[in-house]
Amino acid sequence: MNSAEAARARVLAELIAASHLMTLEQLPGTVASHAAGVGWPQVLIYLADLQQDRLYLLAGNVDVGPCGADVPAELSVEGTVAGRAFQLGKAFAASASAKGQWWVPLLNGTERLGVLRVGVPGAQVEADEDLNRLAGLVALLLVSKRDTSDSYSRLVRRRRLEVAAEMEWQLVPPRTFATDHVLISAIMEPAYQVSGDAFDYALTGETVHLSVFDAMGHDTSAGLTASLAVAVARNHRRQGADLLQTAEGVGEVLTEQFAGSRYATGILADLHLATGVLTWTNYGHHPPVVIRGDRPGTLRRVQLQPRDRLVLYTDGITEARNREGQEFGLNGLTDFLIRHHADDLPVPETLRRLIGHPSQLQTLAGLPPTVPETIASAWAQQPADDDGA
C-alpha cells in the first residue's frame, strides 16, 4: 500500500470514528473536510426523493466554497449525468470538459440512496476503488442516521405525506435488498397517499420470506389494517410458524380487532435459496406471476430458474387507467417488465420507471445468473387451497 492509499484508508477509519456522535446535519461537512485532505475536493451528497425523480443536495454544514454558485440544490434523475449514475449504479465523469469531477452512486448494499459528487473543475481526481469505498461508507453513515433525523425526511419528501402513508413507510423494510442468490425490490405508489397496501420480506438462513397485503379501503383505517397484518405476520414468522399458520394468525387477529368489519387480502411465500423451491399461500389476492425470459406465466407448478422474476402486486397497478380510460391490466404490467428485463436494467430501476404508470405496489424477486443450475431443478410447491380463503 503506497502513502496515498494509506492516507485514504486512514481517512475512512477517521470518518467511522467521528460518526458515533455525528448528526445527519454534520455529516456533509465532516465528510468533505476529511476527504479534501487526501485529494477528494468538494465532496457533495445528493439524496433521491421518495419517488426517485429528483436528487437533492444534503447541505448540512458543508462549505461549498467559491464554487457555491455553481452547485445546484437539486437535479433531475432523468437527463443528467448524476441521474445516470443513480439509475445504473455506476460512477460517471461529470462531463467531458470538466475533468476531475465524478458522480458516484450512494449504495447501501443494493439500495439506492442518491449520489456523491466529488471534485471541482480542473481537479485531478481518479474514479478508483477508494472513491467507491468513500461512497459506500457515506451510504452506511446515512442509513445509520436517517431513521432519527427529521431533516432527512423533510429533504426527500417533496409534499405532504398522508398519515396512513407515514405509518406504512415506517413499517416496510428497505425497498431493495440483495444477496449473491436473490434480489428483492419494491415500490409503493402513490407514494404520498398509499394507505392500504404493504410489503414485507426477511431472511432466515437460506429461506427468503415474502409477503404482500392489500387492505380494504383507502383511508387511515386501511393503513391500520395493513400495518396490523404485517406486524402479525412478522410475529408469527419469528416464532417459527409456517406459512399457513402465519396466514391463519393474521386472519384471526384482524377478525378479533375489527369484528369482521375490515379485512386484507394477501400473498405469503417462502423461497428456499438452496433448492429454488417456492412455497406460497394465497388469501383472496391476485396470484403471483413468474417472468422467464420474454414470457410470463401464472405461478402454479413452475421450475424456478436463474434470472426468473417473481412478481407480487396489488390491483392498484392492474386497475390503473390512463387519460383515455384504458386499464393498465396484468398484460400491461408484464409487457412493461419484460421489455425492461430484456434491456438488462437493474430491477430497482425498472420499478422506478414503472412509476410513470399509476401504480400501487409491486415486489420483484429474481435469481441472478450466478446461481448454480441445481437451484433451478426444483418445482414450486403450491398449497392445496390455492384460491385463498
Side-chain angles (χ1 to χ4, degrees):
M1 181 182 294
N2 60 39
S3 58
E5 292 172 337
R8 291 181 176 184
R10 186 168 60 253
V11 162
L12 298 181
E14 291 170 353
L15 282 174
I16 293 174
S19 71
H20 299 308
L21 299 177
M22 186 192 304
T23 66
L24 185 84
E25 289 82 0
Q26 293 171 323
L27 179 61
T30 304
V31 170
S33 63
H34 280 73
V38 291
W40 290 319
Q42 201 181 64
V43 175
L44 301 175
I45 300 170
Y46 284 81
L47 300 177
D49 73 315
L50 194 60
Q51 293 179 299
Q52 301 179 333
D53 291 326
R54 311 285 297 177
L55 297 164
Y56 290 91
L57 177 67
L58 178 63
N61 61 349
V62 67
D63 180 11
V64 296
C67 297
D70 298 325
V71 174
E74 66 178 88
L75 295 160
S76 173
V77 169
E78 298 291 342
T80 66
V81 178
R84 186 168 178 78
F86 175 80
Q87 292 178 60
L88 301 182
K90 299 177 182 179
F92 286 92
S95 70
S97 60
K99 295 181 179 179
Q101 285 183 283
W102 296 91
W103 291 103
V104 188
L106 288 170
L107 300 173
N108 174 39
T110 52
E111 180 192 8
R112 305 180 303 176
L113 305 178
V115 291
L116 207 65
R117 201 197 81 172
V118 182
V120 294
Q124 299 298 315
V125 179
E126 298 295 332
D128 55 19
E129 280 306 306
D130 283 340
L131 194 54
N132 287 326
R133 293 187 184 101
L134 174 66
L137 176 57
V138 171
L140 289 174
L141 297 181
L142 283 167
V143 169
S144 73
K145 307 297 179 184
R146 66 181 177 183
D147 289 343
T148 56
S149 172
D150 281 351
S151 296
Y152 187 100
S153 298
R154 290 173 180 175
L155 182 64
V156 301
R157 298 176 186 181
R158 308 321 304 169
R159 61 180 185 272
R160 180 177 175 273
L161 198 70
E162 299 290 342
V163 173
E166 183 79 56
M167 287 191 300
E168 296 200 25
W169 279 114
Q170 294 300 314
L171 176 73
V172 297
R175 282 177 284 184
T176 300
F177 172 82
T179 71
D180 57 348
H181 281 64
V182 67
L183 186 151
I184 303 168
S185 193
I187 57 172
M188 291 203 300
E189 280 290 320
Y192 293 88
Q193 292 89 31
V194 62
S195 56
D197 296 353
F199 69 91
D200 193 26
Y201 64 83
L203 273 74
T204 303
E206 293 186 328
T207 299
V208 178
H209 310 288
L210 301 164
S211 59
V212 167
F213 295 99
D214 184 1
M216 65 172 290
H218 301 282
D219 53 11
T220 304
S221 295
L224 289 169
T225 305
S227 297
L228 183 57
V230 171
V232 175
R234 285 177 178 171
N235 181 259
H236 280 67
R237 187 184 72 222
R238 290 167 179 172
Q239 295 182 66
D242 62 24
L243 286 176
L244 290 178
Q245 292 170 333
T246 299
E248 291 167 358
V250 172
E252 290 171 0
V253 172
L254 291 183
T255 300
E256 177 184 345
Q257 180 66 34
F258 299 110
S261 63
R262 306 200 69 85
Y263 65 88
T265 66
I267 292 280
L268 291 89
D270 285 346
L271 173 62
H272 190 244
L273 297 178
T275 63
V277 172
L278 179 79
T279 307
W280 61 282
T281 184
N282 183 353
Y283 279 70
H285 201 79
H286 297 284
V289 171
V290 167
I291 294 178
R292 175 170 299 155
D294 60 355
R295 296 182 61 187
T298 300
L299 185 60
R300 291 295 185 231
R301 286 185 174 273
V302 176
Q303 181 179 344
L304 293 183
Q305 298 178 2
R307 295 183 63 83
D308 278 358
R309 297 193 178 191
L310 171 66
V311 186
L312 309 182
Y313 61 96
T314 66
D315 56 14
I317 178 64
T318 54
E319 295 180 3
R321 297 178 182 273
N322 60 19
R323 294 178 180 178
E324 289 71 40
Q326 296 173 318
E327 194 173 84
F328 191 40
L330 181 57
N331 287 339
L333 172 61
T334 55
D335 287 348
F336 182 95
L337 297 176
I338 288 169
R339 290 198 307 272
H340 288 75
H341 180 67
D343 293 338
D344 206 27
L345 279 176
V347 173
E349 179 58 20
T350 297
L351 291 184
R352 189 192 71 84
R353 298 185 183 193
L354 182 61
I355 294 177
H357 298 275
S359 56
Q360 286 289 79
L361 180 148
Q362 305 78 39
T363 301
L364 298 176
L367 297 175
T370 56
V371 176
E373 287 294 328
T374 52
I375 288 182
S377 64
W379 290 86
Q381 301 289 311
Q382 180 184 357
D385 183 14
D386 68 310
D387 291 327

